[in-house]
Amino acid sequence: QQQQQQQQQQQQHRHSTSSSLPPVSAPSPAPVSSSSNSSLSEASIVALVTGRERARERHDWQAADSIRADLRSHGVDVWDKDKVWRAGDGRSG
């Protein structure tokens, strides 16, 4: 499941960097048992946060909101003004 999520994120990242179209969100394969614990690797979180920043720079609010929702569904909160993220398991960046 985690490998499938990482592959989807990599495909979304490749798509978002090679085209001006917003990334397509695939449905989550299974619900996360607890929103307080992130099931994403730190590298995946950083990639998503970077993608969100790029979407915001392009004023692509729909894509930025979609990425934020995806991060939140994995227990990761983002503070744009402070450029900080924090996972429910205590990791931050």
Side-chain angles (χ1 to χ4, degrees):
Q1 179 183 358
Q2 191 173 23
Q3 183 180 12
Q4 183 181 11
Q5 288 174 341
Q6 288 175 344
Q7 288 172 344
Q8 288 173 351
Q9 289 165 1
Q10 288 171 351
Q11 288 172 349
Q12 288 175 353
H13 179 71
R14 273 189 240 121
H15 179 72
S16 67
T17 58
S18 65
S19 170
S20 62
L21 298 173
V24 177
S25 296
S28 201
V32 177
S33 59
S34 171
S35 63
S36 65
N37 291 324
S38 175
S39 60
L40 298 174
S41 69
E42 189 164 334
S44 295
I45 294 169
V46 170
L48 286 166
V49 169
T50 301
R52 175 173 159 71
E53 289 174 0
R54 288 184 182 151
R56 286 171 46 83
E57 288 170 2
R58 293 189 317 264
H59 299 260
D60 187 348
W61 310 123
Q62 185 178 7
D65 289 347
S66 176
I67 294 169
R68 179 188 286 275
D70 188 28
L71 286 163
R72 279 191 179 157
S73 75
H74 289 91
V76 180
D77 289 311
V78 179
W79 289 270
D80 297 315
K81 289 182 182 179
D82 298 327
K83 296 193 182 262
V84 173
W85 60 266
R86 187 163 294 118
D89 59 9
R91 293 178 293 161
S92 64

